[in-house]
Amino acid sequence: MIRLVIRLIMIAALIVPNLAVADVAQTPVQFCWAMGKFDHTIYFAEVGNREDRQASFDTLLEISGIDHHAVKCTTSDSETHRLARAQLMKGWLESEFEIVNTTFLSDLDY
């Protein structure tokens, strides 16, 4: 009986972390970016498990006086987001553009 209880505890210990990881992988992440019109800069922000922040991001850029092209946003699960973000960053780093992470600012409610 004790061996059965120990075996069940060990199985539960193996399953619970996997469930937590699966839940995190399903968390939606929004990734927004815009290219500056005149300053050769890409501004981006990302936020997980929150409402649509595109308007907040666009407003942040306008309040900051940044002339920019249209804001683009994607929403995906965290794994897809991680892969897409890495691909975008690689392309941006290979370009002549500066990259500015505005996540901490664009999460404010304007």
Side-chain angles (χ1 to χ4, degrees), residues 3 5 14-15 18 28-29 35 45 49 53 60 70 72-73 77 83 85 94 97-98 103 105-106:
R3 287 184 185 175
V5 171
L14 293 173
I15 292 173
N18 289 334
V29 178
M35 297 177 116
N49 207 22
R53 305 301 291 171
L60 164 75
K72 297 174 186 161
C73 291
D77 63 86
L83 295 171
R85 181 186 190 278
E94 293 172 352
F97 289 98
E98 294 267 342
T103 299
L105 293 173
S106 62

Side-chain angles (χ1 to χ4, degrees), residues 28-43:
V29 178
Q30 186 176 41
F31 186 68
C32 296
W33 68 95
M35 297 177 116
K37 283 186 179 178
F38 307 111
D39 63 359
H40 296 285
T41 302
I42 298 171
Y43 302 91

Side-chain angles (χ1 to χ4, degrees), residues 71-84:
V71 170
K72 297 174 186 161
C73 291
T74 61
T75 302
S76 56
D77 63 86
S78 60
E79 182 64 22
T80 302
H81 163 70
R82 188 182 63 75
L83 295 171

Side-chain angles (χ1 to χ4, degrees), residues 30 32 51-59 70-73:
Q30 186 176 41
C32 296
E51 73 278 357
D52 184 5
R53 305 301 291 171
Q54 183 170 348
S56 175
F57 180 66
D58 193 39
T59 302
V71 170
K72 297 174 186 161
C73 291

Side-chain angles (χ1 to χ4, degrees), residues 4 8 11 14 23 28 32 35 45-46 49 54-55 61-63 68 70 73 75 82 86-87 98 100:
L4 178 61
L8 289 174
I11 290 171
L14 293 173
D23 189 42
C32 296
M35 297 177 116
E46 55 196 329
N49 207 22
Q54 183 170 348
L61 295 175
E62 289 181 20
I63 288 173
H68 61 283
C73 291
T75 302
R82 188 182 63 75
Q87 185 176 16
E98 294 267 342
V100 177

